[in-house]
Amino acid sequence: MKIFNQIGRKSIGWGFSVAFALLLPSCDSDQLLHPVPETSITGANAFETQERVLGLVNGIYKSAKGGNFYGGNYYTYSEVRGEEFINRTSNTFTAFEAWNHTLNASSNFIAGFWASGYETINNANILIKGIGEHPGVVSETLAKQYVAEAKFVRALSYFALVTAYARPYNEDQGASKALPLRLQAETTIANNDLKRSTVAEIYTQIIKDLDEAEADLPLNYSTALLNTTRAHRNTAIALKTRVYLNSGQYAKVISEAKKIVSAVPPFAAATGVKHQLGSIVEIFTTNYTSTESILSVPMTELDNVTGQTSFPYVINANSEYNLNPTGIWGEPEWRADDLRRTFARTATGVQFLTKYAKPSPFLDYLPILRYSEILLNYAEAAARTGDLATATALLKAVRNRSDASYEFPKEATGTQQALVSTILKERRIELLGEGLRSIDILRNLAPFPAKSGNGLVAPEVVPSQTNYVFPLPNTEIITNKLLLD
């Protein structure tokens, strides 16, 4: 595991201005020979001023924005494993191995995603430890807030990792071995050897972090931009609905969702940031900081992800994946006048997703949490626990926002089983291209359907197969002697 310490200066959220990164001793011993530039801020004085502490806070968001993480590849690899996209290039650098389920322990992304996740986690751990060791540099309120932000980002990172590299929670209630649970700030390789915790233990830590973050995060920030790009109280609540849904704890999904979803339409958050559904077109074109945008990865001309790690480049600009006409794009109940159908362009007789349509340098924000997902999380949990009326109302709110005259046929909502199926289908429509398809397949223990097109074939993968989840990376197996114990 490579260990990084993000040392930065004042910026906004996910790295809107330059941040320094000081590489500390890691698994590569020759890195010890590299001198630290005189202009760098060292670990010894990184917590000396309010500005430097804020820089470290922004550093954890910057880590999460890495090209192999929430800044790019995480979306590509999560989406193309599902059935909604057809590969056109066989390019191993843009997730072809994920699309056809041939990723192995030596694959570049497998190592890069793992390293990026743990780099972000360690940066969060360093911030938590450093603030505790330097009382009074910032106010007590700010200190609690910054620690809460670090815990939120740590939870978000662990959720991404555990849902990719570990067996699904619902397979055995989390009894399987998952990941090393690293909660200490590491600046040497002394603690590199660490056994894997179980899936349930990782989930427990995620919820613990989010509960504690909720208590100390601010209700809101001074601008819509900050409300979209930094964690606030409702951000932690929103992520908890996803985590609890993923582990089948539906009553807890409902209790969390009720904190930010009103009892009757039009659904909205009553406290904190006033989240509610907005214009689906504006969210992805002109208003990335709308009240629907709970958390997004921002992009600027000075700080963005481009090239083959950019999801917009891969999925749209470079035409490497077209929409699968036998996937959700071909669903007849998704009508032509639904505004979500406008997120596509046609070329050479096929369609390409254009939720992220800006040209190079690809300045579309990448959504992590949207209010529509929270409504669908709540709807599914309500349906699975027998509250069909609430589930149907939430489902209709999402569909009618984009297709105002649509009415679900009675057979689609009349029984619990039918309603759950309809909600799952609506998730595929609403959240298409937002990095959630693999998660939904895995949590439902469904197969990854077979895919074909343009002379390419990806076979079905069922839960009993080892490639149902990502393999542990060789880079970690080699350096962590306790990983496979």
Side-chain angles (χ1 to χ4, degrees), residues 335-359:
R335 303 195 306 184
D337 52 357
D338 189 314
L339 292 175
R340 294 170 296 189
R341 286 282 190 187
T342 64
F343 295 129
R345 63 177 174 86
T346 301
T348 62
V350 296
Q351 288 75 44
F352 297 88
L353 184 69
T354 59
K355 270 187 175 178
Y356 316 98
K358 284 184 167 54

mmCIF file with all atom_site columns, all heavy atoms in Angstrom, residues 335-359:
data_model
loop_
_atom_site.group_PDB
_atom_site.id
_atom_site.type_symbol
_atom_site.label_atom_id
_atom_site.label_alt_id
_atom_site.label_comp_id
_atom_site.label_asym_id
_atom_site.label_entity_id
_atom_site.label_seq_id
_atom_site.pdbx_PDB_ins_code
_atom_site.Cartn_x
_atom_site.Cartn_y
_atom_site.Cartn_z
_atom_site.occupancy
_atom_site.B_iso_or_equiv
_atom_site.pdbx_formal_charge
_atom_site.auth_seq_id
_atom_site.auth_comp_id
_atom_site.auth_asym_id
_atom_site.auth_atom_id
_atom_site.pdbx_PDB_model_num
ATOM 1   N N   . ARG A 1 335 ? -40.480 6.204  -22.362 1.00 0.00 ? 335 ARG A N   1
ATOM 2   C CA  . ARG A 1 335 ? -41.076 6.797  -23.543 1.00 0.00 ? 335 ARG A CA  1
ATOM 3   C C   . ARG A 1 335 ? -40.139 7.814  -24.219 1.00 0.00 ? 335 ARG A C   1
ATOM 4   O O   . ARG A 1 335 ? -39.264 8.406  -23.594 1.00 0.00 ? 335 ARG A O   1
ATOM 5   C CB  . ARG A 1 335 ? -42.403 7.471  -23.201 1.00 0.00 ? 335 ARG A CB  1
ATOM 6   C CG  . ARG A 1 335 ? -43.398 6.512  -22.566 1.00 0.00 ? 335 ARG A CG  1
ATOM 7   C CD  . ARG A 1 335 ? -44.799 7.055  -22.566 1.00 0.00 ? 335 ARG A CD  1
ATOM 8   N NE  . ARG A 1 335 ? -44.911 8.376  -21.952 1.00 0.00 ? 335 ARG A NE  1
ATOM 9   C CZ  . ARG A 1 335 ? -46.078 9.006  -21.773 1.00 0.00 ? 335 ARG A CZ  1
ATOM 10  N NH1 . ARG A 1 335 ? -47.205 8.406  -22.150 1.00 0.00 ? 335 ARG A NH1 1
ATOM 11  N NH2 . ARG A 1 335 ? -46.117 10.196 -21.211 1.00 0.00 ? 335 ARG A NH2 1
ATOM 12  N N   . ALA A 1 336 ? -40.403 8.040  -25.486 1.00 0.00 ? 336 ALA A N   1
ATOM 13  C CA  . ALA A 1 336 ? -39.562 8.925  -26.282 1.00 0.00 ? 336 ALA A CA  1
ATOM 14  C C   . ALA A 1 336 ? -39.602 10.362 -25.794 1.00 0.00 ? 336 ALA A C   1
ATOM 15  O O   . ALA A 1 336 ? -38.628 11.110 -25.961 1.00 0.00 ? 336 ALA A O   1
ATOM 16  C CB  . ALA A 1 336 ? -39.982 8.859  -27.747 1.00 0.00 ? 336 ALA A CB  1
ATOM 17  N N   . ASP A 1 337 ? -40.726 10.798 -25.197 1.00 0.00 ? 337 ASP A N   1
ATOM 18  C CA  . ASP A 1 337 ? -40.826 12.182 -24.748 1.00 0.00 ? 337 ASP A CA  1
ATOM 19  C C   . ASP A 1 337 ? -40.332 12.383 -23.316 1.00 0.00 ? 337 ASP A C   1
ATOM 20  O O   . ASP A 1 337 ? -40.425 13.483 -22.773 1.00 0.00 ? 337 ASP A O   1
ATOM 21  C CB  . ASP A 1 337 ? -42.257 12.709 -24.886 1.00 0.00 ? 337 ASP A CB  1
ATOM 22  C CG  . ASP A 1 337 ? -43.290 11.805 -24.230 1.00 0.00 ? 337 ASP A CG  1
ATOM 23  O OD1 . ASP A 1 337 ? -42.895 10.748 -23.718 1.00 0.00 ? 337 ASP A OD1 1
ATOM 24  O OD2 . ASP A 1 337 ? -44.492 12.161 -24.236 1.00 0.00 ? 337 ASP A OD2 1
ATOM 25  N N   . ASP A 1 338 ? -39.787 11.345 -22.697 1.00 0.00 ? 338 ASP A N   1
ATOM 26  C CA  . ASP A 1 338 ? -39.139 11.490 -21.397 1.00 0.00 ? 338 ASP A CA  1
ATOM 27  C C   . ASP A 1 338 ? -37.872 12.326 -21.600 1.00 0.00 ? 338 ASP A C   1
ATOM 28  O O   . ASP A 1 338 ? -37.049 12.035 -22.465 1.00 0.00 ? 338 ASP A O   1
ATOM 29  C CB  . ASP A 1 338 ? -38.782 10.101 -20.861 1.00 0.00 ? 338 ASP A CB  1
ATOM 30  C CG  . ASP A 1 338 ? -38.304 10.112 -19.411 1.00 0.00 ? 338 ASP A CG  1
ATOM 31  O OD1 . ASP A 1 338 ? -37.459 10.975 -19.081 1.00 0.00 ? 338 ASP A OD1 1
ATOM 32  O OD2 . ASP A 1 338 ? -38.737 9.248  -18.635 1.00 0.00 ? 338 ASP A OD2 1
ATOM 33  N N   . LEU A 1 339 ? -37.716 13.381 -20.796 1.00 0.00 ? 339 LEU A N   1
ATOM 34  C CA  . LEU A 1 339 ? -36.579 14.289 -20.978 1.00 0.00 ? 339 LEU A CA  1
ATOM 35  C C   . LEU A 1 339 ? -35.235 13.590 -20.817 1.00 0.00 ? 339 LEU A C   1
ATOM 36  O O   . LEU A 1 339 ? -34.218 14.063 -21.337 1.00 0.00 ? 339 LEU A O   1
ATOM 37  C CB  . LEU A 1 339 ? -36.688 15.452 -19.992 1.00 0.00 ? 339 LEU A CB  1
ATOM 38  C CG  . LEU A 1 339 ? -37.846 16.425 -20.229 1.00 0.00 ? 339 LEU A CG  1
ATOM 39  C CD1 . LEU A 1 339 ? -37.903 17.459 -19.111 1.00 0.00 ? 339 LEU A CD1 1
ATOM 40  C CD2 . LEU A 1 339 ? -37.709 17.105 -21.584 1.00 0.00 ? 339 LEU A CD2 1
ATOM 41  N N   . ARG A 1 340 ? -35.206 12.487 -20.119 1.00 0.00 ? 340 ARG A N   1
ATOM 42  C CA  . ARG A 1 340 ? -33.951 11.760 -19.956 1.00 0.00 ? 340 ARG A CA  1
ATOM 43  C C   . ARG A 1 340 ? -33.498 11.121 -21.265 1.00 0.00 ? 340 ARG A C   1
ATOM 44  O O   . ARG A 1 340 ? -32.328 10.748 -21.402 1.00 0.00 ? 340 ARG A O   1
ATOM 45  C CB  . ARG A 1 340 ? -34.095 10.716 -18.849 1.00 0.00 ? 340 ARG A CB  1
ATOM 46  C CG  . ARG A 1 340 ? -34.316 11.347 -17.479 1.00 0.00 ? 340 ARG A CG  1
ATOM 47  C CD  . ARG A 1 340 ? -34.696 10.334 -16.424 1.00 0.00 ? 340 ARG A CD  1
ATOM 48  N NE  . ARG A 1 340 ? -35.971 9.684  -16.697 1.00 0.00 ? 340 ARG A NE  1
ATOM 49  C CZ  . ARG A 1 340 ? -36.611 8.878  -15.852 1.00 0.00 ? 340 ARG A CZ  1
ATOM 50  N NH1 . ARG A 1 340 ? -36.079 8.633  -14.661 1.00 0.00 ? 340 ARG A NH1 1
ATOM 51  N NH2 . ARG A 1 340 ? -37.756 8.327  -16.175 1.00 0.00 ? 340 ARG A NH2 1
ATOM 52  N N   . ARG A 1 341 ? -34.400 11.017 -22.229 1.00 0.00 ? 341 ARG A N   1
ATOM 53  C CA  . ARG A 1 341 ? -34.042 10.518 -23.553 1.00 0.00 ? 341 ARG A CA  1
ATOM 54  C C   . ARG A 1 341 ? -33.206 11.529 -24.340 1.00 0.00 ? 341 ARG A C   1
ATOM 55  O O   . ARG A 1 341 ? -32.613 11.186 -25.358 1.00 0.00 ? 341 ARG A O   1
ATOM 56  C CB  . ARG A 1 341 ? -35.309 10.197 -24.348 1.00 0.00 ? 341 ARG A CB  1
ATOM 57  C CG  . ARG A 1 341 ? -36.026 8.930  -23.915 1.00 0.00 ? 341 ARG A CG  1
ATOM 58  C CD  . ARG A 1 341 ? -35.334 7.701  -24.460 1.00 0.00 ? 341 ARG A CD  1
ATOM 59  N NE  . ARG A 1 341 ? -36.117 6.489  -24.254 1.00 0.00 ? 341 ARG A NE  1
ATOM 60  C CZ  . ARG A 1 341 ? -35.689 5.270  -24.523 1.00 0.00 ? 341 ARG A CZ  1
ATOM 61  N NH1 . ARG A 1 341 ? -34.473 5.094  -25.013 1.00 0.00 ? 341 ARG A NH1 1
ATOM 62  N NH2 . ARG A 1 341 ? -36.437 4.227  -24.288 1.00 0.00 ? 341 ARG A NH2 1
ATOM 63  N N   . THR A 1 342 ? -33.179 12.764 -23.874 1.00 0.00 ? 342 THR A N   1
ATOM 64  C CA  . THR A 1 342 ? -32.396 13.776 -24.591 1.00 0.00 ? 342 THR A CA  1
ATOM 65  C C   . THR A 1 342 ? -30.897 13.614 -24.352 1.00 0.00 ? 342 THR A C   1
ATOM 66  O O   . THR A 1 342 ? -30.091 14.238 -25.045 1.00 0.00 ? 342 THR A O   1
ATOM 67  C CB  . THR A 1 342 ? -32.822 15.196 -24.172 1.00 0.00 ? 342 THR A CB  1
ATOM 68  O OG1 . THR A 1 342 ? -32.530 15.388 -22.778 1.00 0.00 ? 342 THR A OG1 1
ATOM 69  C CG2 . THR A 1 342 ? -34.307 15.411 -24.416 1.00 0.00 ? 342 THR A CG2 1
ATOM 70  N N   . PHE A 1 343 ? -30.513 12.803 -23.375 1.00 0.00 ? 343 PHE A N   1
ATOM 71  C CA  . PHE A 1 343 ? -29.093 12.613 -23.081 1.00 0.00 ? 343 PHE A CA  1
ATOM 72  C C   . PHE A 1 343 ? -28.493 11.540 -23.978 1.00 0.00 ? 343 PHE A C   1
ATOM 73  O O   . PHE A 1 343 ? -27.941 10.537 -23.523 1.00 0.00 ? 343 PHE A O   1
ATOM 74  C CB  . PHE A 1 343 ? -28.899 12.228 -21.617 1.00 0.00 ? 343 PHE A CB  1
ATOM 75  C CG  . PHE A 1 343 ? -29.295 13.306 -20.648 1.00 0.00 ? 343 PHE A CG  1
ATOM 76  C CD1 . PHE A 1 343 ? -30.154 13.019 -19.597 1.00 0.00 ? 343 PHE A CD1 1
ATOM 77  C CD2 . PHE A 1 343 ? -28.814 14.601 -20.775 1.00 0.00 ? 343 PHE A CD2 1
ATOM 78  C CE1 . PHE A 1 343 ? -30.522 13.998 -18.690 1.00 0.00 ? 343 PHE A CE1 1
ATOM 79  C CE2 . PHE A 1 343 ? -29.179 15.593 -19.878 1.00 0.00 ? 343 PHE A CE2 1
ATOM 80  C CZ  . PHE A 1 343 ? -30.034 15.291 -18.843 1.00 0.00 ? 343 PHE A CZ  1
ATOM 81  N N   . ALA A 1 344 ? -28.596 11.748 -25.261 1.00 0.00 ? 344 ALA A N   1
ATOM 82  C CA  . ALA A 1 344 ? -28.025 10.791 -26.216 1.00 0.00 ? 344 ALA A CA  1
ATOM 83  C C   . ALA A 1 344 ? -27.811 11.487 -27.549 1.00 0.00 ? 344 ALA A C   1
ATOM 84  O O   . ALA A 1 344 ? -28.508 12.431 -27.901 1.00 0.00 ? 344 ALA A O   1
ATOM 85  C CB  . ALA A 1 344 ? -28.945 9.590  -26.393 1.00 0.00 ? 344 ALA A CB  1
ATOM 86  N N   . ARG A 1 345 ? -26.830 11.021 -28.274 1.00 0.00 ? 345 ARG A N   1
ATOM 87  C CA  . ARG A 1 345 ? -26.594 11.446 -29.648 1.00 0.00 ? 345 ARG A CA  1
ATOM 88  C C   . ARG A 1 345 ? -26.493 10.193 -30.506 1.00 0.00 ? 345 ARG A C   1
ATOM 89  O O   . ARG A 1 345 ? -26.126 9.108  -30.021 1.00 0.00 ? 345 ARG A O   1
ATOM 90  C CB  . ARG A 1 345 ? -25.319 12.277 -29.765 1.00 0.00 ? 345 ARG A CB  1
ATOM 91  C CG  . ARG A 1 345 ? -24.042 11.545 -29.411 1.00 0.00 ? 345 ARG A CG  1
ATOM 92  C CD  . ARG A 1 345 ? -22.801 12.394 -29.621 1.00 0.00 ? 345 ARG A CD  1
ATOM 93  N NE  . ARG A 1 345 ? -21.599 11.719 -29.133 1.00 0.00 ? 345 ARG A NE  1
ATOM 94  C CZ  . ARG A 1 345 ? -20.884 10.864 -29.841 1.00 0.00 ? 345 ARG A CZ  1
ATOM 95  N NH1 . ARG A 1 345 ? -21.256 10.544 -31.088 1.00 0.00 ? 345 ARG A NH1 1
ATOM 96  N NH2 . ARG A 1 345 ? -19.797 10.294 -29.331 1.00 0.00 ? 345 ARG A NH2 1
ATOM 97  N N   . THR A 1 346 ? -26.822 10.327 -31.761 1.00 0.00 ? 346 THR A N   1
ATOM 98  C CA  . THR A 1 346 ? -26.778 9.193  -32.683 1.00 0.00 ? 346 THR A CA  1
ATOM 99  C C   . THR A 1 346 ? -25.641 9.377  -33.672 1.00 0.00 ? 346 THR A C   1
ATOM 100 O O   . THR A 1 346 ? -25.467 10.453 -34.250 1.00 0.00 ? 346 THR A O   1
ATOM 101 C CB  . THR A 1 346 ? -28.106 9.056  -33.435 1.00 0.00 ? 346 THR A CB  1
ATOM 102 O OG1 . THR A 1 346 ? -29.170 8.868  -32.488 1.00 0.00 ? 346 THR A OG1 1
ATOM 103 C CG2 . THR A 1 346 ? -28.079 7.867  -34.386 1.00 0.00 ? 346 THR A CG2 1
ATOM 104 N N   . ALA A 1 347 ? -24.857 8.345  -33.840 1.00 0.00 ? 347 ALA A N   1
ATOM 105 C CA  . ALA A 1 347 ? -23.770 8.346  -34.818 1.00 0.00 ? 347 ALA A CA  1
ATOM 106 C C   . ALA A 1 347 ? -23.573 6.925  -35.308 1.00 0.00 ? 347 ALA A C   1
ATOM 107 O O   . ALA A 1 347 ? -23.609 5.978  -34.514 1.00 0.00 ? 347 ALA A O   1
ATOM 108 C CB  . ALA A 1 347 ? -22.483 8.883  -34.207 1.00 0.00 ? 347 ALA A CB  1
ATOM 109 N N   . THR A 1 348 ? -23.364 6.764  -36.588 1.00 0.00 ? 348 THR A N   1
ATOM 110 C CA  . THR A 1 348 ? -23.184 5.450  -37.228 1.00 0.00 ? 348 THR A CA  1
ATOM 111 C C   . THR A 1 348 ? -24.270 4.463  -36.817 1.00 0.00 ? 348 THR A C   1
ATOM 112 O O   . THR A 1 348 ? -24.007 3.275  -36.638 1.00 0.00 ? 348 THR A O   1
ATOM 113 C CB  . THR A 1 348 ? -21.788 4.862  -36.924 1.00 0.00 ? 348 THR A CB  1
ATOM 114 O OG1 . THR A 1 348 ? -21.664 4.654  -35.497 1.00 0.00 ? 348 THR A OG1 1
ATOM 115 C CG2 . THR A 1 348 ? -20.688 5.789  -37.409 1.00 0.00 ? 348 THR A CG2 1
ATOM 116 N N   . GLY A 1 349 ? -25.478 4.985  -36.642 1.00 0.00 ? 349 GLY A N   1
ATOM 117 C CA  . GLY A 1 349 ? -26.621 4.127  -36.372 1.00 0.00 ? 349 GLY A CA  1
ATOM 118 C C   . GLY A 1 349 ? -26.793 3.675  -34.940 1.00 0.00 ? 349 GLY A C   1
ATOM 119 O O   . GLY A 1 349 ? -27.684 2.877  -34.649 1.00 0.00 ? 349 GLY A O   1
ATOM 120 N N   . VAL A 1 350 ? -25.947 4.162  -34.026 1.00 0.00 ? 350 VAL A N   1
ATOM 121 C CA  . VAL A 1 350 ? -26.079 3.789  -32.624 1.00 0.00 ? 350 VAL A CA  1
ATOM 122 C C   . VAL A 1 350 ? -26.107 5.051  -31.768 1.00 0.00 ? 350 VAL A C   1
ATOM 123 O O   . VAL A 1 350 ? -25.795 6.150  -32.231 1.00 0.00 ? 350 VAL A O   1
ATOM 124 C CB  . VAL A 1 350 ? -24.933 2.861  -32.159 1.00 0.00 ? 350 VAL A CB  1
ATOM 125 C CG1 . VAL A 1 350 ? -24.978 1.535  -32.896 1.00 0.00 ? 350 VAL A CG1 1
ATOM 126 C CG2 . VAL A 1 350 ? -23.579 3.540  -32.363 1.00 0.00 ? 350 VAL A CG2 1
ATOM 127 N N   . GLN A 1 351 ? -26.477 4.877  -30.501 1.00 0.00 ? 351 GLN A N   1
ATOM 128 C CA  . GLN A 1 351 ? -26.614 6.016  -29.597 1.00 0.00 ? 351 GLN A CA  1
ATOM 129 C C   . GLN A 1 351 ? -25.488 6.027  -28.562 1.00 0.00 ? 351 GLN A C   1
ATOM 130 O O   . GLN A 1 351 ? -25.070 4.971  -28.080 1.00 0.00 ? 351 GLN A O   1
ATOM 131 C CB  . GLN A 1 351 ? -27.975 5.976  -28.882 1.00 0.00 ? 351 GLN A CB  1
ATOM 132 C CG  . GLN A 1 351 ? -29.158 6.310  -29.774 1.00 0.00 ? 351 GLN A CG  1
ATOM 133 C CD  . GLN A 1 351 ? -29.504 5.179  -30.719 1.00 0.00 ? 351 GLN A CD  1
ATOM 134 O OE1 . GLN A 1 351 ? -29.538 4.012  -30.331 1.00 0.00 ? 351 GLN A OE1 1
ATOM 135 N NE2 . GLN A 1 351 ? -29.738 5.520  -31.978 1.00 0.00 ? 351 GLN A NE2 1
ATOM 136 N N   . PHE A 1 352 ? -25.071 7.237  -28.210 1.00 0.00 ? 352 PHE A N   1
ATOM 137 C CA  . PHE A 1 352 ? -24.053 7.438  -27.200 1.00 0.00 ? 352 PHE A CA  1
ATOM 138 C C   . PHE A 1 352 ? -24.607 8.331  -26.101 1.00 0.00 ? 352 PHE A C   1
ATOM 139 O O   . PHE A 1 352 ? -25.295 9.317  -26.375 1.00 0.00 ? 352 PHE A O   1
ATOM 140 C CB  . PHE A 1 352 ? -22.804 8.087  -27.807 1.00 0.00 ? 352 PHE A CB  1
ATOM 141 C CG  . PHE A 1 352 ? -22.138 7.243  -28.854 1.00 0.00 ? 352 PHE A CG  1
ATOM 142 C CD1 . PHE A 1 352 ? -22.526 7.330  -30.187 1.00 0.00 ? 352 PHE A CD1 1
ATOM 143 C CD2 . PHE A 1 352 ? -21.138 6.342  -28.501 1.00 0.00 ? 352 PHE A CD2 1
ATOM 144 C CE1 . PHE A 1 352 ? -21.927 6.549  -31.153 1.00 0.00 ? 352 PHE A CE1 1
ATOM 145 C CE2 . PHE A 1 352 ? -20.530 5.560  -29.465 1.00 0.00 ? 352 PHE A CE2 1
ATOM 146 C CZ  . PHE A 1 352 ? -20.921 5.655  -30.790 1.00 0.00 ? 352 PHE A CZ  1
ATOM 147 N N   . LEU A 1 353 ? -24.305 7.979  -24.849 1.00 0.00 ? 353 LEU A N   1
ATOM 148 C CA  . LEU A 1 353 ? -24.818 8.743  -23.706 1.00 0.00 ? 353 LEU A CA  1
ATOM 149 C C   . LEU A 1 353 ? -24.160 10.124 -23.656 1.00 0.00 ? 353 LEU A C   1
ATOM 150 O O   . LEU A 1 353 ? -22.938 10.242 -23.733 1.00 0.00 ? 353 LEU A O   1
ATOM 151 C CB  . LEU A 1 353 ? -24.544 7.991  -22.401 1.00 0.00 ? 353 LEU A CB  1
ATOM 152 C CG  . LEU A 1 353 ? -25.117 8.631  -21.130 1.00 0.00 ? 353 LEU A CG  1
ATOM 153 C CD1 . LEU A 1 353 ? -26.642 8.547  -21.136 1.00 0.00 ? 353 LEU A CD1 1
ATOM 154 C CD2 . LEU A 1 353 ? -24.556 7.937  -19.890 1.00 0.00 ? 353 LEU A CD2 1
ATOM 155 N N   . THR A 1 354 ? -24.975 11.162 -23.487 1.00 0.00 ? 354 THR A N   1
ATOM 156 C CA  . THR A 1 354 ? -24.456 12.532 -23.447 1.00 0.00 ? 354 THR A CA  1
ATOM 157 C C   . THR A 1 354 ? -24.833 13.251 -22.156 1.00 0.00 ? 354 THR A C   1
ATOM 158 O O   . THR A 1 354 ? -24.997 14.475 -22.154 1.00 0.00 ? 354 THR A O   1
ATOM 159 C CB  . THR A 1 354 ? -24.956 13.346 -24.654 1.00 0.00 ? 354 THR A CB  1
ATOM 160 O OG1 . THR A 1 354 ? -26.398 13.375 -24.636 1.00 0.00 ? 354 THR A OG1 1
ATOM 161 C CG2 . THR A 1 354 ? -24.466 12.752 -25.961 1.00 0.00 ? 354 THR A CG2 1
ATOM 162 N N   . LYS A 1 355 ? -24.970 12.522 -21.061 1.00 0.00 ? 355 LYS A N   1
ATOM 163 C CA  . LYS A 1 355 ? -25.135 13.210 -19.779 1.00 0.00 ? 355 LYS A CA  1
ATOM 164 C C   . LYS A 1 355 ? -23.929 14.107 -19.512 1.00 0.00 ? 355 LYS A C   1
ATOM 165 O O   . LYS A 1 355 ? -24.037 15.104 -18.808 1.00 0.00 ? 355 LYS A O   1
ATOM 166 C CB  . LYS A 1 355 ? -25.279 12.186 -18.640 1.00 0.00 ? 355 LYS A CB  1
ATOM 167 C CG  . LYS A 1 355 ? -26.700 11.758 -18.351 1.00 0.00 ? 355 LYS A CG  1
ATOM 168 C CD  . LYS A 1 355 ? -26.773 10.878 -17.116 1.00 0.00 ? 355 LYS A CD  1
ATOM 169 C CE  . LYS A 1 355 ? -28.218 10.559 -16.766 1.00 0.00 ? 355 LYS A CE  1
ATOM 170 N NZ  . LYS A 1 355 ? -28.329 9.665  -15.586 1.00 0.00 ? 355 LYS A NZ  1
ATOM 171 N N   . TYR A 1 356 ? -22.797 13.712 -20.035 1.00 0.00 ? 356 TYR A N   1
ATOM 172 C CA  . TYR A 1 356 ? -21.558 14.459 -19.870 1.00 0.00 ? 356 TYR A CA  1
ATOM 173 C C   . TYR A 1 356 ? -21.108 14.880 -21.267 1.00 0.00 ? 356 TYR A C   1
ATOM 174 O O   . TYR A 1 356 ? -20.356 14.167 -21.928 1.00 0.00 ? 356 TYR A O   1
ATOM 175 C CB  . TYR A 1 356 ? -20.510 13.593 -19.177 1.00 0.00 ? 356 TYR A CB  1
ATOM 176 C CG  . TYR A 1 356 ? -21.088 12.825 -18.002 1.00 0.00 ? 356 TYR A CG  1
ATOM 177 C CD1 . TYR A 1 356 ? -21.483 11.490 -18.139 1.00 0.00 ? 356 TYR A CD1 1
ATOM 178 C CD2 . TYR A 1 356 ? -21.287 13.441 -16.776 1.00 0.00 ? 356 TYR A CD2 1
ATOM 179 C CE1 . TYR A 1 356 ? -22.032 10.802 -17.076 1.00 0.00 ? 356 TYR A CE1 1
ATOM 180 C CE2 . TYR A 1 356 ? -21.843 12.752 -15.705 1.00 0.00 ? 356 TYR A CE2 1
ATOM 181 C CZ  . TYR A 1 356 ? -22.213 11.430 -15.863 1.00 0.00 ? 356 TYR A CZ  1
ATOM 182 O OH  . TYR A 1 356 ? -22.774 10.751 -14.817 1.00 0.00 ? 356 TYR A OH  1
ATOM 183 N N   . ALA A 1 357 ? -21.587 16.035 -21.714 1.00 0.00 ? 357 ALA A N   1
ATOM 184 C CA  . ALA A 1 357 ? -21.475 16.393 -23.121 1.00 0.00 ? 357 ALA A CA  1
ATOM 185 C C   . ALA A 1 357 ? -20.465 17.485 -23.415 1.00 0.00 ? 357 ALA A C   1
ATOM 186 O O   . ALA A 1 357 ? -20.245 17.810 -24.579 1.00 0.00 ? 357 ALA A O   1
ATOM 187 C CB  . ALA A 1 357 ? -22.851 16.834 -23.643 1.00 0.00 ? 357 ALA A CB  1
ATOM 188 N N   . LYS A 1 358 ? -19.856 18.063 -22.409 1.00 0.00 ? 358 LYS A N   1
ATOM 189 C CA  . LYS A 1 358 ? -18.899 19.132 -22.674 1.00 0.00 ? 358 LYS A CA  1
ATOM 190 C C   . LYS A 1 358 ? -17.656 18.562 -23.363 1.00 0.00 ? 358 LYS A C   1
ATOM 191 O O   . LYS A 1 358 ? -17.186 17.484 -23.023 1.00 0.00 ? 358 LYS A O   1
ATOM 192 C CB  . LYS A 1 358 ? -18.521 19.851 -21.379 1.00 0.00 ? 358 LYS A CB  1
ATOM 193 C CG  . LYS A 1 358 ? -19.601 20.804 -20.892 1.00 0.00 ? 358 LYS A CG  1
ATOM 194 C CD  . LYS A 1 358 ? -19.164 21.570 -19.662 1.00 0.00 ? 358 LYS A CD  1
ATOM 195 C CE  . LYS A 1 358 ? -20.109 22.727 -19.366 1.00 0.00 ? 358 LYS A CE  1
ATOM 196 N NZ  . LYS A 1 358 ? -21.502 22.310 -19.251 1.00 0.00 ? 358 LYS A NZ  1
ATOM 197 N N   . PRO A 1 359 ? -17.116 19.301 -24.339 1.00 0.00 ? 359 PRO A N   1
ATOM 198 C CA  . PRO A 1 359 ? -15.911 18.824 -25.033 1.00 0.00 ? 359 PRO A CA  1
ATOM 199 C C   . PRO A 1 359 ? -14.687 18.972 -24.147 1.00 0.00 ? 359 PRO A C   1
ATOM 200 O O   . PRO A 1 359 ? -14.761 19.501 -23.035 1.00 0.00 ? 359 PRO A O   1
ATOM 201 C CB  . PRO A 1 359 ? -15.844 19.756 -26.247 1.00 0.00 ? 359 PRO A CB  1
ATOM 202 C CG  . PRO A 1 359 ? -16.475 21.033 -25.768 1.00 0.00 ? 359 PRO A CG  1
ATOM 203 C CD  . PRO A 1 359 ? -17.572 20.608 -24.834 1.00 0.00 ? 359 PRO A CD  1
#
